[in-house]
Amino acid sequence: MLDILKNPWPWYVAGPLIGLTVPVLLIIGNKAFGISSSLRHICAACIPANIPFFKYEWKKEIWNLFFVGGILLGGFLAMSLLANPNPVEIHPNLASELSTYGITNFESMVPVDVFNWSTLLTLKGFIIMVFGGFLIGFGTRYAGGCTSGHAIMGLSTLQWPSLIATCCFMVGGIIMANWILPVILSL
Amino acid sequence: MQDIKTENRLNDGIETAEEFEVRSLDAMCINESHLTHKWYHNLKYMVVGIAFGIVFIKAEIISWFRIQEMFRFQSFHMFGVIGSAVMVGVISVLLIKKMNIKTIYGEVIEFHPKQFNKGQIYGGLLFGFGWAITGACPGPLFALVGSGATVIAVTLLSAIAGTWTYGYMREKLPH
């Protein structure tokens, strides 16, 4: 049993569990599933700087910060109790492409050849870790939501603006992964 | 004068329509319980978050490699995860509406329609870029930090800085 839990979970188990978050949050407190808004609440709580966009009563949204705090804890628990003993299996084409950029370590969730403290101050590391993060925060708020808020909650409630946003997430990702990221990784 | 007024309104705990509008701008979570609860009621959201974080790790949704495979169409995994999550979400919301299911506190469950604006296109594309570079969306950033990838804390802080910058220049951006 523990072995089954430790191995990577298939999509048909994980997807429905994630989908169930939508009704669970609605039923336990009338909350709409969304994660990127937590970043806005952190801004409103810590550095509102008199910006109208951050002048609202963030304490009303504190449930969202408990929720993302839980995600962080869940990440810790899964890694300490249910860690997969095997390296991440990846598609052979991806593996051979990545090896041309010097990424050969597939043992972690993120490629440690790129994501580590010492590469942070190289141009490549800075673009990937710092600029990439900036785009996530800027883009999700500009779009009004992320994968959870638009792709899952928005599509679950059949909202067409969310469908547009989700398509743009995918188009942006496809362009970046296939044509721009290879250049960044070659730096 | 303006500031003092706002302050007073915030302090009396009653939200005006105008405040609700500002708070709901682009926010995903304007649904709220109209009942007042003690702080520890929020712990139930933490429990849901923990379960969610575990699924993130165990289904490798937070794996940079899985995201690269998705955007290169090399694996069905992520499409399966998102697709089946949406299916379950659609059915759940339909059931909630059809059967008029209430919250555990007996309140009617509310849905707030989203308005279209061009931000969903521009912001969507920018977020797509960030998603593919870092291999993470906001949820996985939190789970990755928890899982011990400590350097991702920098990415998370940078995402907060990105959100702040958006708030700072939002009036100048096309919407």
Side-chain angles (χ1 to χ4, degrees), chain B residues 4-74:
Chain B
I4 298 166
K5 261 192 190 161
T6 319
E7 196 110 311
N8 283 342
R9 267 192 274 126
L10 287 180
N11 286 340
D12 64 20
I14 301 163
E15 196 176 38
T16 63
E18 184 199 345
E19 273 165 14
F20 178 78
E21 205 192 320
V22 172
R23 192 161 63 92
S24 68
L25 278 176
D26 312 321
M28 295 310 309
C29 49
I30 45 171
N31 276 13
E32 61 180 290
S33 167
H34 298 290
L35 305 165
T36 357
H37 296 296
K38 292 259 172 5
W39 70 271
Y40 51 78
H41 282 257
N42 284 310
L43 288 176
K44 58 185 185 288
Y45 303 111
M46 186 175 266
V47 173
V48 180
I50 290 173
F52 199 70
I54 292 174
V55 175
F56 265 176
I57 302 267
K58 288 319 299 172
E60 298 180 335
I61 292 159
I62 63 160
S63 162
W64 186 87
F65 301 105
R66 290 284 164 273
I67 303 301
Q68 299 307 323
E69 286 172 349
M70 167 176 74
F71 287 133
R72 288 172 171 76
F73 300 102
Q74 290 166 335

Side-chain angles (χ1 to χ4, degrees), chain B residues 105-168:
Chain B
Y105 302 108
E107 290 180 288
V108 174
I109 292 177
E110 295 165 23
F111 297 94
H112 297 263
K114 287 185 216 304
Q115 301 294 323
F116 172 75
N117 68 61
K118 288 188 224 108
Q120 281 136 14
I121 297 173
Y122 302 132
L125 289 170
L126 290 173
F127 166 54
F129 293 159
W131 190 8
I133 298 182
T134 60
C137 33
L141 287 181
F142 288 98
L144 277 167
V145 173
S147 78
T150 51
V151 73
I152 302 294
V154 176
T155 309
L156 182 57
L157 284 176
S158 194
I160 294 169
T163 298
W164 189 89
T165 309
Y166 168 73
Y168 181 73

Side-chain angles (χ1 to χ4, degrees), chain A residues 134-154:
Chain A
F134 187 90
L135 285 176
I136 296 177
F138 190 93
T140 51
R141 204 69 276 123
Y142 198 175
C146 62
T147 330
S148 55
H150 272 313
I152 296 177
M153 184 68 197

